[in-house]
Amino acid sequence: MKFGGTSVGSVERIQAVARRIHDRVKSGDRVIAVCSAMSGETNRLIELADQVADRAIDREMDVLLSTGEQVSIALVAMALSDLGVPARSYTGPQAGISTTSAHTKARIRNIDPQPLQTAIDAGQVAVVAGFQGANSADGEVTTLGRGGSDLTAVAIAAAIKADACEIYTDVDGVYTCDPNVVPKARKIDRISFEEMLELASSGAKVLQSRSVELAMKANVPLVVRSSFSDAPGTWVTEEVSEMEDIVVSGVAYNNKEAKVSLMDVPDQPGIASSVFSTLAAENINVDMIIQNVSTDGITDLTFTVSETDLDRAVATLESLKPDINWGRLETDQSIAKISVVGVGMRSHAGVAAKMFQTLADNGINIQMISTSEIKISVIVERKYTELAARELHSVFGLDSPGS
């Protein structure tokens, strides 16, 4: 059972979480609880770092940010003990979570299930700090990036072979689109790992994409539920045949991306490799990529990155200019990515045409296009984000019945 920041955002919420865990234990379930930092705590710690240093050191940021979850797990363990439920808190390293050495963006290497298995066998609830671990090289504390508590929960569920991993949050499931943007969005009862992964990587915030990827690899059934109600939530599982009957399952958007264009690049073997391998070495993730047709041995290379990585991406590309001799560099932060997702696309033609026509009918120009078997994404001007999401949601029949 994983509880997000809003679920443990106050003393009252922590006590409510403890009661929910208590009820599950009394019903016969054996529980491991993973907790995020209290709502707003991580941002508060980041602001403190910004006040004392112009540029924080990643290692010290990990030491700082990992304290947020430690507050939550100690309080939840205390609240459980007060209800008569034996409980013990574990930091990420104490829970056997071993990671890579990339501070602030570490990846889980493996989990030793023994510490948590021992607690379960002893009849205790293990309350584990999400978002953190220790690198396997020298035991340094590391964090897993935003949304890392989801990843912690799924990884632990896989390691101990749990029946399911329940993600408790402030919404009662996965929706066909963000209800704050599309009021007619409706809750999905069941969705495939692949669809959820595409939605998460396209901007849907309900689950971290890395956690969905791991759940799919380890076949850990996920349940997204509200910590504020007993609503049944959304199951994220392996694909079943009925899922293909629905052509588009959801619409997602991401308005936190930026576009980078390298103009007048020599069209030679190895240039693209040099650009993207250098960006990868700086832990800068590239999303969509377009290379224009070459003219007189010169081409243009355009791609998107997270807004938070834009400055580092520009600095990295500037360092490559002596080697690559590109002409000029342009950036654009006024963009958004809009995606439609559904496993039914595999067996239904015309989805792209319908999507493009809908955008054209609303005067929305497409700047970039990317596709997979079950997803079509486009880059548009950011000011059209909400309009595009609502219109696509409607045209693909996702609006709530009777709305």
Coordinates of all heavy atoms in Angstrom, one line a residue, residues 3 8 10-11 13-15 17-18 21 33-38 66-83 85-92 94 125-130 132:
F3 N 1.2 5.4 -0.1 CA 0.4 6.6 0.2 C 1.2 7.8 -0.2 O 2.4 8.0 0.2 CB 0.1 6.6 1.7 CG -0.8 5.5 2.1 CD1 -0.2 4.4 2.7 CD2 -2.1 5.6 2.0 CE1 -1.0 3.3 3.1 CE2 -2.9 4.5 2.4 CZ -2.4 3.3 2.9
V8 N -0.7 11.7 3.3 CA -0.1 11.8 4.7 C 0.2 13.3 5.0 O 1.2 13.6 5.7 CB 1.2 11.0 4.7 CG1 0.9 9.5 4.7 CG2 2.2 11.4 3.6
S10 N -1.2 15.6 6.7 CA -1.5 16.2 8.0 C -1.6 15.1 9.1 O -1.6 13.9 8.7 CB -2.8 17.0 8.0 OG -3.9 16.1 7.8
V11 N -1.6 15.5 10.3 CA -1.7 14.5 11.4 C -3.0 13.7 11.2 O -3.0 12.5 11.4 CB -1.7 15.2 12.8 CG1 -2.2 14.3 13.9 CG2 -0.3 15.8 13.1
R13 N -4.6 13.1 8.4 CA -4.5 12.2 7.3 C -3.6 11.0 7.7 O -3.9 9.9 7.2 CB -3.9 12.9 6.1 CG -4.8 14.0 5.5 CD -6.2 13.5 5.2 NE -6.2 12.2 4.4 CZ -7.2 11.4 4.4 NH1 -8.3 11.6 5.1 NH2 -7.1 10.3 3.7
I14 N -2.6 11.2 8.4 CA -1.7 10.1 8.8 C -2.5 9.2 9.7 O -2.4 7.9 9.5 CB -0.5 10.7 9.6 CG1 0.5 11.3 8.5 CG2 0.2 9.6 10.4 CD1 1.6 12.1 9.2
Q15 N -3.3 9.7 10.6 CA -4.1 8.8 11.4 C -5.2 8.0 10.6 O -5.5 6.9 10.9 CB -4.8 9.6 12.5 CG -3.8 10.2 13.6 CD -4.5 11.1 14.5 OE1 -5.4 11.9 14.2 NE2 -4.0 11.1 15.8
V17 N -4.7 7.1 7.4 CA -3.9 6.1 6.8 C -3.7 4.9 7.7 O -3.8 3.8 7.3 CB -2.6 6.7 6.3 CG1 -1.6 5.6 5.9 CG2 -2.8 7.6 5.0
A18 N -3.3 5.2 8.9 CA -3.1 4.2 9.9 C -4.3 3.3 10.1 O -4.3 2.1 10.2 CB -2.6 4.8 11.2
I21 N -4.8 1.0 7.1 CA -3.9 -0.1 7.2 C -4.3 -1.1 8.3 O -4.3 -2.3 8.1 CB -2.4 0.4 7.5 CG1 -1.9 1.2 6.3 CG2 -1.5 -0.8 7.7 CD1 -0.6 1.9 6.6
A33 N 3.7 -0.8 3.9 CA 3.2 0.5 3.5 C 4.4 1.3 3.0 O 5.5 1.4 3.7 CB 2.5 1.2 4.7
V34 N 4.3 2.0 1.9 CA 5.3 2.9 1.4 C 4.7 4.3 1.5 O 3.6 4.6 1.0 CB 5.7 2.6 0.0 CG1 6.7 3.6 -0.6 CG2 6.4 1.2 -0.1
C35 N 5.5 5.2 2.0 CA 5.0 6.6 2.2 C 5.9 7.7 1.5 O 7.1 7.6 1.6 CB 4.9 6.9 3.7 SG 3.8 5.9 4.6
S36 N 5.2 8.6 0.9 CA 5.9 9.8 0.4 C 6.1 10.8 1.6 O 5.6 10.6 2.7 CB 5.0 10.5 -0.7 OG 4.9 9.6 -1.8
A37 N 6.8 11.9 1.3 CA 6.9 13.0 2.2 C 5.5 13.7 2.3 O 4.7 13.6 1.4 CB 7.9 14.0 1.8
M38 N 5.3 14.3 3.4 CA 4.0 15.1 3.6 C 3.9 16.1 2.5 O 4.9 16.7 2.1 CB 4.0 15.7 5.0 CG 4.0 14.7 6.2 SD 4.1 15.5 7.8 CE 2.5 16.2 8.0
S66 N 15.8 13.3 1.3 CA 15.4 12.0 1.9 C 14.8 12.1 3.3 O 14.2 11.2 3.7 CB 16.6 11.0 1.9 OG 17.6 11.5 2.7
T67 N 15.0 13.2 3.9 CA 14.5 13.4 5.3 C 13.0 13.5 5.3 O 12.3 13.2 6.3 CB 15.1 14.6 6.0 OG1 14.7 15.8 5.3 CG2 16.6 14.5 6.0
G68 N 12.4 14.0 4.2 CA 10.9 14.2 4.1 C 10.2 12.9 4.3 O 9.2 12.9 5.1
E69 N 10.6 11.9 3.6 CA 9.9 10.6 3.8 C 10.1 10.0 5.2 O 9.3 9.3 5.7 CB 10.4 9.6 2.7 CG 9.8 9.8 1.3 CD 10.2 11.1 0.6 OE1 11.3 11.6 1.0 OE2 9.5 11.6 -0.3
Q70 N 11.3 10.3 5.8 CA 11.6 9.7 7.1 C 10.6 10.2 8.1 O 10.3 9.5 9.1 CB 13.0 10.0 7.4 CG 14.0 9.2 6.6 CD 15.5 9.5 7.0 OE1 15.8 9.5 8.1 NE2 16.3 9.7 6.0
V71 N 10.2 11.5 8.0 CA 9.2 12.0 8.9 C 7.9 11.3 8.8 O 7.3 10.9 9.8 CB 9.0 13.5 8.6 CG1 7.8 14.1 9.4 CG2 10.3 14.3 8.9
S72 N 7.5 11.0 7.5 CA 6.2 10.4 7.3 C 6.2 8.9 7.9 O 5.2 8.6 8.5 CB 5.9 10.3 5.8 OG 5.8 11.6 5.2
I73 N 7.2 8.2 7.6 CA 7.2 6.8 8.0 C 7.2 6.6 9.5 O 6.6 5.7 10.1 CB 8.3 6.0 7.3 CG1 9.7 6.5 7.7 CG2 8.2 5.9 5.8 CD1 10.9 5.6 7.3
A74 N 8.0 7.5 10.2 CA 8.0 7.4 11.6 C 6.7 7.7 12.2 O 6.2 7.1 13.2 CB 9.1 8.4 12.2
L75 N 6.0 8.8 11.7 CA 4.7 9.1 12.2 C 3.6 8.1 11.9 O 2.8 7.8 12.8 CB 4.2 10.5 11.6 CG 5.1 11.7 12.1 CD1 4.6 12.9 11.3 CD2 5.0 11.9 13.6
V76 N 3.7 7.5 10.7 CA 2.7 6.4 10.4 C 2.9 5.2 11.3 O 2.0 4.6 11.8 CB 2.8 6.0 8.9 CG1 2.0 4.8 8.6 CG2 2.3 7.2 8.0
A77 N 4.2 4.8 11.5 CA 4.5 3.7 12.4 C 4.0 4.0 13.8 O 3.5 3.1 14.5 CB 6.0 3.4 12.4
M78 N 4.2 5.2 14.3 CA 3.7 5.5 15.6 C 2.2 5.5 15.7 O 1.6 4.9 16.7 CB 4.1 7.0 16.0 CG 5.6 7.2 16.2 SD 6.0 8.9 16.5 CE 7.8 8.9 16.4
A79 N 1.5 6.0 14.7 CA 0.0 5.9 14.6 C -0.5 4.5 14.6 O -1.5 4.2 15.3 CB -0.5 6.7 13.4
L80 N 0.2 3.6 13.9 CA -0.2 2.2 13.8 C 0.0 1.6 15.2 O -0.9 0.8 15.7 CB 0.6 1.5 12.8 CG 0.2 1.7 11.3 CD1 1.3 1.2 10.4 CD2 -1.1 1.0 11.0
S81 N 1.1 1.8 15.8 CA 1.4 1.2 17.1 C 0.3 1.7 18.1 O -0.1 0.9 19.0 CB 2.8 1.7 17.6 OG 3.8 1.1 16.8
D82 N -0.1 3.0 18.0 CA -1.1 3.5 18.9 C -2.5 2.8 18.7 O -3.3 2.8 19.6 CB -1.3 5.0 18.6 CG -2.0 5.7 19.8 OD1 -1.5 5.6 20.9 OD2 -3.0 6.4 19.5
L83 N -2.7 2.2 17.5 CA -3.9 1.4 17.2 C -3.8 0.0 17.5 O -4.7 -0.8 17.3 CB -4.3 1.6 15.7 CG -4.7 3.0 15.3 CD1 -4.9 3.0 13.7 CD2 -6.0 3.4 16.0
V85 N -1.4 -2.0 16.3 CA -0.8 -2.8 15.1 C 0.7 -2.7 15.2 O 1.3 -1.6 15.1 CB -1.3 -2.2 13.8 CG1 -0.6 -2.9 12.6 CG2 -2.8 -2.3 13.7
P86 N 1.4 -3.8 15.4 CA 2.9 -3.8 15.5 C 3.4 -3.2 14.1 O 3.1 -3.7 13.1 CB 3.3 -5.2 15.6 CG 2.1 -5.9 16.2 CD 0.9 -5.2 15.6
A87 N 4.3 -2.2 14.2 CA 4.8 -1.6 13.0 C 6.2 -1.1 13.3 O 6.6 -0.8 14.4 CB 3.9 -0.4 12.6
R88 N 7.0 -1.0 12.2 CA 8.4 -0.5 12.2 C 8.7 0.2 11.0 O 8.4 -0.2 9.9 CB 9.3 -1.7 12.4 CG 10.8 -1.3 12.5 CD 11.7 -2.4 12.8 NE 13.1 -2.0 12.9 CZ 14.1 -2.8 13.2 NH1 13.8 -4.1 13.5 NH2 15.3 -2.4 13.2
S89 N 9.3 1.4 11.1 CA 9.7 2.2 10.0 C 11.1 1.8 9.4 O 11.9 1.3 10.2 CB 9.7 3.7 10.3 OG 10.7 3.9 11.3
Y90 N 11.2 1.9 8.1 CA 12.5 1.6 7.4 C 12.8 2.7 6.4 O 11.9 3.0 5.6 CB 12.3 0.3 6.6 CG 12.2 -0.9 7.5 CD1 10.9 -1.3 8.0 CD2 13.3 -1.8 7.7 CE1 10.8 -2.4 8.8 CE2 13.1 -2.9 8.5 CZ 11.9 -3.2 9.0 OH 11.7 -4.4 9.8
T91 N 14.0 3.2 6.5 CA 14.4 4.1 5.4 C 14.7 3.2 4.1 O 14.7 2.0 4.2 CB 15.8 4.8 5.7 OG1 16.8 3.8 5.9 CG2 15.6 5.6 7.0
G92 N 14.9 3.8 3.0 CA 15.2 3.1 1.8 C 16.3 2.1 2.0 O 16.2 0.9 1.7
Q94 N 17.6 0.9 4.7 CA 17.3 -0.1 5.7 C 16.4 -1.2 5.1 O 16.4 -2.4 5.5 CB 16.6 0.5 6.9 CG 17.6 1.3 7.8 CD 16.8 2.1 8.9 OE1 15.6 2.4 8.7 NE2 17.5 2.4 10.0
V125 N 3.8 -4.5 10.4 CA 3.7 -3.8 9.2 C 5.0 -3.0 9.0 O 5.4 -2.3 9.9 CB 2.5 -2.8 9.3 CG1 2.5 -1.8 8.1 CG2 1.2 -3.5 9.4
A126 N 5.6 -3.2 7.9 CA 6.8 -2.5 7.5 C 6.4 -1.2 6.8 O 5.7 -1.2 5.8 CB 7.7 -3.3 6.6
V127 N 6.8 -0.1 7.4 CA 6.5 1.2 6.8 C 7.8 1.8 6.2 O 8.7 2.1 6.9 CB 5.9 2.2 7.9 CG1 5.5 3.5 7.3 CG2 4.8 1.5 8.7
V128 N 7.8 1.8 4.9 CA 9.0 2.1 4.2 C 9.0 3.5 3.5 O 8.0 3.9 3.0 CB 9.2 1.1 3.0 CG1 10.6 1.3 2.3 CG2 9.2 -0.3 3.6
A129 N 10.2 4.2 3.6 CA 10.3 5.5 3.0 C 10.4 5.3 1.5 O 11.3 4.6 1.0 CB 11.5 6.2 3.5
G130 N 9.5 6.0 0.8 CA 9.6 6.0 -0.7 C 10.7 6.9 -1.2 O 11.3 7.6 -0.4
Q132 N 13.7 6.7 -2.2 CA 15.1 6.8 -1.7 C 15.7 5.4 -1.7 O 15.0 4.4 -1.6 CB 15.3 7.4 -0.4 CG 14.5 6.7 0.7 CD 14.6 7.4 2.1 OE1 15.3 7.0 3.0 NE2 14.0 8.6 2.2

